[in-house]
Amino acid sequence: TIGMVVIGVSGTVASGTSTNGAIHKLPGRVGDSPIAGAGSYADSTAGGAAATGDGDIMMRFLPSYQAVEYMRMGTDPTVACQKVISRIQKYAPKFFGAIICANTTGSYGAACNKIPGFTQFHFMVSSPLLSRPTEQVVDCI
Amino acid sequence: MAAGRGGGWQGVAVALLLLAALTPAGAASAAALPVVINTWAFRTAAETAWRVLESGGSELDAVEKGCSQCEIDQCDGSVGYGGSPDESGETTLDAMIMDGNTMEVGAVADLRRVKNAIGVARKVIEYTKHTLLVGESASLFAVRMGFPYEDLTTQKSLSLYSEWLNQNCQPNYWKNVVPDSSKSCGPYKRREEVTYREEHTSSQRSVHNHD
């Protein structure tokens, strides 16, 4: 799955996702990716977020919407992402998932749930402060 | 009335706020935009989205083209055609796109036989008043919007499906059914005694199997 957030020079936010879903799923099963607020969310008055992982679990928590709401309240994007992961952890400590967050000033962050075999999350960032699209890594919590 | 006579301190506060807006921190924030951020190390998607912005495209254009690139590249096997076959061996696609100015959303789910899922999602925004189209009807909409019907099956997805069948359909997502879904393939029927136990395990999900 890819989830993407783009914030323009004027602070306009757009987001999106695309996926072929979980392998061997039941026909008809849909995950979090196409659900607004779950797979991704964008609000030009606050920021944007996109989630990835076990959509059957994550979509129950609307993590992208929640992260944007945290950022609207002034929470730093990294902390917003972490708070979202923590909320899911309380109910599903072994869930597989990660989220990226960015606010309208261009600050960004990411967080993921640490489980065996998934201790770091890789994501891409492009901005004028980076010479080219750059891979970044965050340690899972 | 008292507020109107606020005196000097409110004026100073306003002046400080205006000053704060002009500080280097504000400038730094401006320099940090635009920003493109995407999940996983999908570099070509990031490059495509960035190029769209550089060439004057909109933020929505950047998201659409960036994710479309991943669909073409079959990023990680988890995006686009030829990946993650379902229980019947078919690859289906889900995608969404959201405009943070208007809060419009276009999305498709369980899209069949159309490769450019996020392109179809964009058309849901542009040509309908709806938010989410699913299944065969979403595919029909896609064709009406000019997207070609294509087979999403590849040798890779066929191979993944065959291996799964040969492993007695393990793993799968059934529970409370007979025959025992942890040992056998279906077709399954519901077991009379239902166990309300949610196994919050992630054993079936990995960096190559995710939404």
Side-chain angles (χ1 to χ4, degrees):
Chain A
T1 304
I2 183 170
M4 180 177 283
V5 175
V6 174
I7 303 178
V9 288
S10 62
T12 288
V13 184
S15 70
T17 63
S18 185
T19 185
N20 52 33
I23 191 168
H24 312 314
K25 57 186 171 284
L26 276 66
R29 177 268 189 188
V30 172
D32 62 332
S33 298
I35 308 301
S40 83
Y41 199 68
D43 185 334
S44 297
T45 65
T52 184
D54 184 342
D56 288 313
I57 298 298
M58 298 184 80
M59 70 191 302
R60 303 170 186 174
F61 296 87
L62 295 179
S64 296
Y65 171 80
Q66 188 62 52
V68 170
E69 287 309 300
Y70 280 135
M71 290 188 286
R72 184 194 308 285
M73 291 186 283
T75 306
D76 171 79
T78 299
V79 177
C81 279
Q82 290 171 341
K83 289 176 80 168
V84 164
I85 294 296
S86 295
R87 286 173 71 120
I88 305 174
Q89 278 176 332
K90 288 174 187 166
Y91 294 88
K94 296 177 183 175
F95 87 100
F96 170 60
I99 186 166
I100 55 172
C101 303
N103 66 21
T104 50
T105 67
S107 296
Y108 61 85
C112 50
N113 187 36
K114 187 176 182 180
I115 56 173
F118 185 59
T119 58
Q120 290 187 319
F121 175 60
H122 294 244
F123 60 104
M124 297 295 300
V125 180
S126 311
S127 87
L129 304 178
L130 303 165
S131 59
R132 51 182 297 194
T134 304
E135 182 175 341
Q136 303 205 4
V137 185
V138 64
D139 290 326
C140 296
I141 55 175
Chain B
M1 196 66 152
R5 291 180 183 173
W9 70 269
Q10 280 113 332
V12 171
V14 169
L16 286 173
L17 283 173
L18 287 171
L19 190 63
L22 299 174
T23 59
S29 293
L33 293 173
V35 64
V36 175
I37 179 169
N38 65 264
T39 56
W40 307 105
F42 300 149
R43 182 172 297 277
T44 58
E47 290 171 343
T48 299
W50 188 249
R51 216 164 31 240
V52 168
L53 285 182
E54 282 185 324
S55 62
S58 70
E59 293 79 5
L60 272 184
D61 292 336
V63 168
E64 181 191 351
K65 299 306 178 191
C67 292
S68 291
Q69 187 62 52
C70 236
E71 292 170 349
I72 294 167
D73 295 343
Q74 301 169 283
C75 285
D76 199 19
S78 67
V79 185
Y81 68 101
S84 305
D86 66 16
E87 280 194 342
S88 65
E90 183 175 4
T91 294
T92 60
L93 305 179
D94 304 333
M96 66 96 69
I97 189 164
M98 182 164 188
D99 182 334
N101 282 348
T102 64
M103 306 308 283
E104 288 176 297
V105 174
V108 289
D110 193 24
L111 181 71
R112 293 154 188 265
R113 300 184 302 281
V114 178
K115 285 183 175 177
N116 185 198
I118 197 163
V120 181
R122 179 81 182 268
K123 293 293 185 285
V124 173
I125 286 186
E126 291 178 340
Y127 296 100
T128 82
K129 298 174 185 175
H130 294 310
T131 297
L132 171 62
L133 299 179
V134 304
E136 292 290 352
S137 300
S139 302
L140 183 59
F141 168 78
V143 171
R144 284 178 178 164
M145 291 294 108
F147 294 84
Y149 264 150
E150 296 175 90
D151 189 357
L152 304 190
T153 304
T154 62
Q155 281 302 318
K156 176 76 184 300
S157 65
L158 276 177
S159 171
L160 289 168
Y161 182 54
S162 297
E163 285 174 25
W164 180 73
L165 289 175
N166 290 333
Q167 292 167 359
N168 294 321
C169 306
Q170 304 301 314
N172 61 63
Y173 295 96
W174 290 87
K175 65 178 183 182
N176 295 322
V177 293
V178 289
D180 186 345
S181 60
S182 68
K183 295 173 182 168
S184 308
C185 290
Y188 305 107
K189 291 181 180 176
R190 65 191 177 96
R191 198 172 65 207
E192 288 305 316
E193 185 184 342
V194 174
T195 304
Y196 290 100
R197 181 169 55 88
E198 185 75 45
E199 291 186 4
H200 286 311
T201 62
S202 55
S203 58
Q204 297 180 41
R205 312 302 173 110
S206 70
V207 293
H208 300 298
N209 177 29
H210 52 77
D211 293 288

